[in-house]
Amino acid sequence: FRHEGMTTMTSFLKFVALISAFTTTNGERPIFFRNKAFSAAFNAAPLTLSWGRDYDHNRAIKTRPNRGISTSASSLASSSSFRSPPLGRQICTYKTVTIRPSGMNAGDAPRQAVSVEDLTPEIKSFLSQSGMKQGVIHVISRHTTTAITINERESRLARDIEEFFLKICPPDERSSTPKKVSGVRYLHNDIDQRPDGEEEAERCRENGWNIDDADELQKWRDQEPINAHSHLISMMLGSSECIPVVDGEMVIGQWQSVLLVDLDGPRTRSVGLQMMGFG
């Protein structure tokens, strides 16, 4: 827009008002004109609309935009670095990866420990097998007490992660972890009052527990961990990540890794990987 004594935004609003004036069909004044502040701005100065003089219809790019209009779009469209690479065959494939924690020995029972596992080698291997060159990788945890995040894989940082989040969400005083805190209790950990309602009872049945039988109900309660804090930390960290793939490589930083954070382990876990893109 060319304008005299007006801001670019005012010019834009006048242009919208003009369009509105021509398209109103109910006999009322367009809504812009019913606003006193807008009417004053509209009448403040004359408006001249003009597009660039040279227009290449084949490229659909304004080659000589007027002053006041950003040239960034034109610059990007004509820049060689903005061109997309040629795309090959379409790829959409999924894999479930089993993760055995590095600190877990055969036969170990979960002890509500926090551990960090590096998923990056598994993802790179799957990416290589898929043949995908351009696209995106979706990584999702398949558990309610684990999380997926992107950060540095470093052993002392892993201990910092545990200490930091356990200060925010300390374990219940009834839990089995040595880091439990006296006086801390969560409703989720009132196992003797669960399932709470028919909807939750049905969810237990769908997962193979015949809780209508008193003995089976007690078995279900006995195996339920006191782990509300693990659920809450998982919600804070998030359960999935999306990583771009360019020229067959994940677009992550030099020190970045895709991490699985187990908040109620160590135990064997599973992660879903999906590749979507082009080979």
Side-chain angles (χ1 to χ4, degrees), residues 9-24:
M9 180 57 71
T10 306
S11 299
F12 171 75
L13 292 174
K14 284 191 76 170
F15 172 67
V16 173
L18 282 173
I19 299 301
S20 178
F22 284 111
T23 57
T24 300

Side-chain angles (χ1 to χ4, degrees), residues 49-69:
L49 297 178
S50 177
W51 298 106
R53 287 175 291 173
D54 299 324
Y55 191 85
D56 185 336
H57 292 277
N58 294 323
R59 294 172 58 204
I61 298 171
K62 296 178 183 63
T63 56
R64 295 180 62 185
N66 287 323
R67 289 176 298 174
I69 300 179

Side-chain angles (χ1 to χ4, degrees), residues 2 4 19 25 31 45 76 86 100 145 162 170 222 233:
R2 288 179 180 165
E4 299 176 35
I19 299 301
T25 58
I31 190 169
L76 283 173
R100 179 175 292 276
T145 56
E162 178 178 22
D222 290 343
I233 298 171

Side-chain angles (χ1 to χ4, degrees), residues 20 35 47 105 165 179 183 187 189 192 201 233-234 237 258 272 279:
S20 178
N35 182 289
L47 173 68
N105 299 314
F165 281 106
K179 298 191 176 184
L187 296 176
N189 295 335
D192 62 318
I233 298 171
S234 173
L237 281 169
V258 185

Side-chain angles (χ1 to χ4, degrees), residues 19 31 41 43-44 52 66 77 105 108 110 144 176 197 207 214 216 219 235 241 243 251-252 262-263 276:
I19 299 301
I31 190 169
N43 296 320
N66 287 323
N105 299 314
D108 281 359
T144 58
S176 59
N207 283 279
E216 189 79 359
K219 288 180 182 178
M235 293 179 199
E241 289 286 353
I243 305 109
V251 182
I252 56 176
D262 192 337
L263 302 157
M276 298 181 68

Side-chain angles (χ1 to χ4, degrees), residues 28-268:
E28 295 183 0
R29 298 170 69 201
I31 190 169
F32 286 108
F33 289 98
R34 288 178 241 151
N35 182 289
K36 291 182 179 179
F38 177 81
S39 295
F42 184 86
N43 296 320
L47 173 68
T48 302
L49 297 178
S50 177
W51 298 106
R53 287 175 291 173
D54 299 324
Y55 191 85
D56 185 336
H57 292 277
N58 294 323
R59 294 172 58 204
I61 298 171
K62 296 178 183 63
T63 56
R64 295 180 62 185
N66 287 323
R67 289 176 298 174
I69 300 179
S70 171
T71 61
S72 58
S74 299
S75 300
L76 283 173
S78 60
S79 170
S80 60
S81 63
F82 191 69
R83 295 171 185 164
S84 298
L87 301 178
R89 63 186 176 90
Q90 294 183 12
I91 292 175
C92 182
T93 182
Y94 174 85
K95 178 182 181 180
T96 298
V97 178
T98 300
I99 306 297
R100 179 175 292 276
S102 53
M104 181 181 180
N105 299 314
D108 281 359
R111 56 182 185 275
Q112 293 196 319
V114 176
S115 60
V116 179
E117 303 299 328
D118 190 355
L119 301 177
T120 312
E122 286 280 358
I123 299 173
K124 285 184 175 180
S125 174
F126 186 37
L127 176 59
S128 176
Q129 294 170 16
S130 74
M132 188 172 74
K133 300 301 181 185
Q134 317 292 337
V136 64
I137 302 172
H138 303 275
V139 184
I140 185 165
S141 162
R142 294 167 53 86
H143 306 278
T144 58
T145 56
T146 62
I148 303 292
T149 190
I150 296 178
N151 216 293
E152 183 177 357
R153 174 68 179 103
E154 196 272 323
S155 57
R156 298 180 70 85
L157 178 60
R159 298 207 297 272
D160 287 334
I161 291 171
E162 178 178 22
E163 294 300 322
F164 176 78
F165 281 106
L166 290 185
K167 286 179 182 177
I168 298 174
C169 290
D172 193 301
E173 65 180 0
R174 297 166 287 181
S175 74
S176 59
T177 174
K179 298 191 176 184
K180 61 187 176 183
V181 176
S182 177
V184 173
R185 284 183 169 241
Y186 299 95
L187 296 176
H188 176 71
N189 295 335
D190 296 335
I191 308 296
D192 62 318
Q193 298 181 41
R194 294 170 52 197
D196 188 1
E198 182 55 31
E199 180 184 351
E200 293 181 22
E202 184 59 29
R203 195 174 303 123
C204 290
R205 297 185 192 103
E206 290 173 354
N207 283 279
W209 291 94
N210 180 20
I211 58 170
D212 300 305
D213 178 88
D215 291 338
E216 189 79 359
L217 173 60
Q218 190 57 50
K219 288 180 182 178
W220 174 77
R221 286 174 173 169
D222 290 343
Q223 60 84 43
E224 275 291 286
I226 307 296
N227 64 354
H229 70 287
S230 304
H231 290 282
L232 296 172
I233 298 171
S234 173
M235 293 179 199
M236 286 189 283
L237 281 169
S239 60
S240 65
E241 289 286 353
C242 250
I243 305 109
V245 173
V246 176
D247 296 333
E249 299 287 342
M250 289 193 293
V251 182
I252 56 176
Q254 178 181 0
W255 293 99
Q256 286 183 316
S257 294
V258 185
L259 306 174
L260 170 70
V261 184
D262 192 337
L263 302 157
D264 189 22
R267 63 175 90 185
T268 300

